[in-house]
Amino acid sequence: MGLEPLEFSDCYLDSPWFRERVRAHEAELEKTNKFIKELLKDGKNLIAATKNLSAAQRKFAHSLRDFKFEFIGDAETDDERYIDASLHEFSNFLKNLEEQREILALSVTETLIKPLERFRKEQLGAVKEEKKKFDKETEKNYSLLEKHLNLSAKKKELQLQEADNQVEHNRKHFYELSLEYVCKLQEIQERKKFECVEPVLSFFQGLFTFYHQGYELAKDFNHYKMALQINIQNTRNRFEGTRSEVEELMNKIRRNPQEHKRANNFTMEGYLYVQEKRPAPFGSSWVKHYCTYRKETKKFTMIPFEHRSGGKAGDEELFILTYCTKRNTDTIDRRFCFDLEASDRPGVPVTMQAFSEEDRKLWMEALDGKEAVSDIFLIPALFFSERHNCNGALKLFNLFFFLLGAQLDKIGFTIIKKCISAVEMRGINDQGLYRVVGVSSKVQRLLTLLMDAKTCNEVDLENSVDWEVKTITSAMKQYLRSLPEPLMTYELHGEFIVPAKSGSPESRVNAVHFLVHKLPEKNKEMLEILVKHLANVSKHAKRNLMTVANLGVVFGPTLMRPQEETVAAIMDLKFQNIVVEILIENHEKIFKTLPDATFPEPISVSVSPPNAPPRQSRRQGQRIKRPLAVYNLCLELDDADSHSSPRDDTPTGSMDSLSSQSPTLAFSSSPPGLLDGNHLIMDSGDLAAWTTNPPGQSRPSMVSWMNTPSANSAATNTTSSTFFFSNPATGSDRAVESVTHRKAKAVYPCEAEHSSELSFQIGAIFEDVQFSREPGWLEGTLNGKRGLIPQNYVQFL
């Protein structure tokens, strides 16, 4: 569990738990600040002290390896996990480079030092200044409040009124500052990952250019760098969307705090001052407590809390409420007071003091006080005591658009189809499609015409120059947002989010596949039309720049908006985007085929037959992992190392969308030849060869094999078209003709563990068998589908 989200509504309660969460965020930022300072120090030593290069690199690597970013919420996306793991990856690369002991050119100030210093001074420094203001205002607010509450009720009314106004003005200022500070804290927590990691990534890119002996490492690193760049860009894109949503929520709460109180089990909660009587002649004292009350059980709890005492809460006191009565100023020298009596202490009332008259009325209403409460105060109390139900403002919002007519009816389908047709005809290649918004007045005018049955058919979007593409796309998004509930429904919202947070790529796709078919028929039909269109848009990403990941950022909040607006819900926005990415990348499977009858497990596990040999692991460590989308991209870009074309049936789709993929494919090199008994058949243009081992045993690395006598023999016994290779296990030598494609037969059954693998039974015949890039794996075609095959499960024909 990472850092808990800081809800804006908690700024108004200022509870002990809220203060504890704020301190946790502050501690994390201080830890990040210390980490950056240490990283900068190590980096400068690395640049300045070439004679101590090895020691500086070890320290730098140690700093990277031991630090881990904390995250907000209960889960990270794959992109964020890869970014978090990247520091450990960088550490491993440094250790490998240290063996070379080459002199490193000292030209990394612009790519590493300055960005980190700028981030620390401008971003973390700004948070420190905000903290000082927040702490100062906290002290000022509560000091003024205590002074105000100590005013005698016998003072003149004008004096009391002026004092009330002053306290209220100061309190509003405090809440404003608290909101801004909470927003800044969470923004910097989200920003720190890519702001810190990106300069380090740039540093590593420059590092390899100065190492001639590190050529192979640099070549290998390119795959990881490509994946990480996409991870960072995806995370940055999601950050921008999340930040705008958080700021919008903050402004909504600022305008009307009462309507955005979070749902919990308490009927009423907040601070009260409790009178503690002392023996004569000491009188009594007033101690601030955080109090909660549950109406159904009549349980009242009090926790003493004083922010000046280090912010530590005292022991909780709980009692069953018997009655509550209002105290008038003629019976006590303080205002806003009321008495409570506990069932275990009959006849011994406890006197409480609220912060204001309105606050006292809310407490009296919640506690069923004897004094009647004006109807005007029933509304906020009702919202407060029933906030476990749907948010009232959201209900009114949905009702408003329902009355306007935004429904999944014939008109709605006509609107979507007309907009999609126009976009695909006129603007499929427009850069920033669906990101660039239209003029609000034009969008509203177009929606008005489209939602009117009399004028809908008269609107010509495909040929008319009156309606820009950005106006059409904005109208389409606005219509989907205006539905009474999102297209993927409130009921299934949480179920869609769960698989996006965990599990393998296959289990995620299967889970989303299953849930889509639980949607109402009209919702599923509309979703299919839209997702098919978005898949078409993503195919033109080279021109319109709208990759699957970018479309997920745009349509995640539109198709899966949460029922309750909270910071925690906004933190799940990135997982909504992932669900939309899965829909786009796998739309043919999801909408054209029926799912399994039962809900799939979060993580798919397959069991090999008991008599089958062990399969070469494709998940042997973080270093050799990388996303499948990048693997396919590398095959496209690097023809020299390519031995098979990217497979169209692989459910990964966009190279830019890594969120729904797990890094399960290794990118270590494999020989491009084929196995034949105990020999390796290779072309004369191949660089080196590896010997083969019996089934179930791992193959030696290229480097270790090239140091063996058999490798030296193979290097000298070459002809124009044939290599001679010796297997140390048999000691035999023979010449074999070059082969490019062969057939193979399955000798054991196999159940695929990944979408890129093939499932098969004994006796299955594979066509066009070639070596995979992964050690221990082949690539072949079975029943028209191409995929990976465990090498020791088949026999060549």
Side-chain angles (χ1 to χ4, degrees), residues 139-155:
E139 178 67 26
K140 178 182 176 182
N141 180 66
Y142 285 106
S143 297
L144 185 61
L145 182 61
E146 290 183 7
K147 180 180 178 181
H148 177 65
L149 294 175
N150 285 320
L151 283 176
S152 172
K154 297 178 181 180
K155 288 185 173 292

Side-chain angles (χ1 to χ4, degrees), residues 67 115 295 510 596 646 746 790:
F67 184 80
K295 198 167 190 174
N510 292 337
D596 295 336

Side-chain angles (χ1 to χ4, degrees), residues 285-319:
S285 63
W286 294 83
V287 180
K288 186 169 69 172
H289 288 66
Y290 194 83
C291 304
T292 63
Y293 178 65
R294 287 186 174 90
K295 198 167 190 174
E296 60 275 11
T297 60
K298 292 189 175 297
K299 289 183 178 180
F300 192 97
T301 61
M302 303 188 304
I303 303 175
F305 180 79
E306 176 54 59
H307 68 276
R308 288 178 296 188
S309 63
K312 293 183 179 181
D315 296 332
E316 178 182 295
E317 182 180 355
L318 185 147
F319 60 84

Side-chain angles (χ1 to χ4, degrees), residues 308-374:
R308 288 178 296 188
S309 63
K312 293 183 179 181
D315 296 332
E316 178 182 295
E317 182 180 355
L318 185 147
F319 60 84
I320 304 300
L321 180 69
T322 303
Y323 75 87
C324 168
T325 56
K326 177 182 176 182
R327 288 286 296 270
N328 294 322
T329 54
D330 56 353
T331 63
I332 192 169
D333 193 33
R334 286 200 173 204
R335 299 183 297 161
F336 322 136
C337 294
F338 57 93
D339 288 342
L340 303 182
E341 184 172 301
S343 59
D344 59 341
R345 287 173 287 181
V348 185
V350 179
T351 302
M352 307 274 191
Q353 183 182 25
F355 284 178
S356 64
E357 184 60 33
E358 180 181 355
D359 192 28
R360 176 169 67 174
K361 288 182 178 180
L362 289 174
W363 277 103
M364 294 286 292
E365 172 66 19
L367 299 171
D368 294 324
K370 291 185 178 179
E371 171 137 334
V373 181
S374 173

Side-chain angles (χ1 to χ4, degrees), residues 642-662:
S642 176
H643 314 296
S644 65
S645 61
R647 295 174 293 279
D648 294 334
D649 58 347
T650 303
T652 52
S654 168
M655 70 178 182
D656 200 38
S657 172
L658 303 180
S659 333
S660 58
Q661 308 302 328
S662 286

Side-chain angles (χ1 to χ4, degrees), residues 225-439:
K225 182 199 73 172
M226 187 183 304
L228 187 57
Q229 284 175 333
I230 298 173
N231 298 146
I232 290 173
Q233 188 57 47
N234 287 347
T235 305
R236 184 188 294 275
N237 290 343
R238 294 187 182 115
F239 164 76
E240 294 297 337
T242 302
R243 181 176 63 175
S244 62
E245 293 287 335
V246 169
E247 289 177 351
E248 183 179 349
L249 176 60
M250 180 185 70
N251 292 329
K252 286 181 180 179
I253 292 182
R254 177 184 291 164
R255 290 191 294 268
N256 199 339
Q258 291 294 333
E259 288 189 4
H260 290 80
K261 293 185 183 296
R262 283 197 302 150
N264 56 38
N265 297 323
F266 297 127
T267 306
M268 188 69 180
E269 61 180 318
Y271 282 106
L272 291 170
Y273 278 83
V274 180
Q275 185 182 35
E276 295 185 355
K277 297 180 179 179
R278 298 177 180 177
F282 299 104
S284 62
S285 63
W286 294 83
V287 180
K288 186 169 69 172
H289 288 66
Y290 194 83
C291 304
T292 63
Y293 178 65
R294 287 186 174 90
K295 198 167 190 174
E296 60 275 11
T297 60
K298 292 189 175 297
K299 289 183 178 180
F300 192 97
T301 61
M302 303 188 304
I303 303 175
F305 180 79
E306 176 54 59
H307 68 276
R308 288 178 296 188
S309 63
K312 293 183 179 181
D315 296 332
E316 178 182 295
E317 182 180 355
L318 185 147
F319 60 84
I320 304 300
L321 180 69
T322 303
Y323 75 87
C324 168
T325 56
K326 177 182 176 182
R327 288 286 296 270
N328 294 322
T329 54
D330 56 353
T331 63
I332 192 169
D333 193 33
R334 286 200 173 204
R335 299 183 297 161
F336 322 136
C337 294
F338 57 93
D339 288 342
L340 303 182
E341 184 172 301
S343 59
D344 59 341
R345 287 173 287 181
V348 185
V350 179
T351 302
M352 307 274 191
Q353 183 182 25
F355 284 178
S356 64
E357 184 60 33
E358 180 181 355
D359 192 28
R360 176 169 67 174
K361 288 182 178 180
L362 289 174
W363 277 103
M364 294 286 292
E365 172 66 19
L367 299 171
D368 294 324
K370 291 185 178 179
E371 171 137 334
V373 181
S374 173
D375 289 343
I376 192 172
F377 293 101
L378 291 178
I379 296 176
L382 178 61
F383 272 97
F384 201 87
S385 61
E386 301 293 336
R387 59 181 178 268
H388 58 275
N389 293 330
C390 295
N391 182 278
L394 186 58
K395 282 185 174 180
L396 294 176
F397 178 82
N398 288 339
L399 179 60
F400 173 72
F401 281 105
F402 175 79
L403 295 175
L404 284 180
Q407 296 292 317
L408 288 178
D409 53 13
K410 184 177 179 181
I411 289 291
F413 278 88
T414 301
I415 292 173
I416 296 300
K417 289 177 180 178
K418 284 175 73 73
C419 290
I420 287 175
S421 178
V423 170
E424 294 192 347
M425 177 176 290
R426 297 173 51 196
I428 195 71
N429 292 319
D430 289 3
Q431 287 192 5
L433 186 66
Y434 286 108
R435 271 193 180 276
V436 180
V437 296
V439 179

Side-chain angles (χ1 to χ4, degrees), residues 41 46 89 315 325 387 479 575 616 677 694 764:
K41 177 183 176 182
L46 186 62
E89 288 290 328
D315 296 332
T325 56
R387 59 181 178 268
Y479 171 80
F575 299 107
Q616 175 74 25

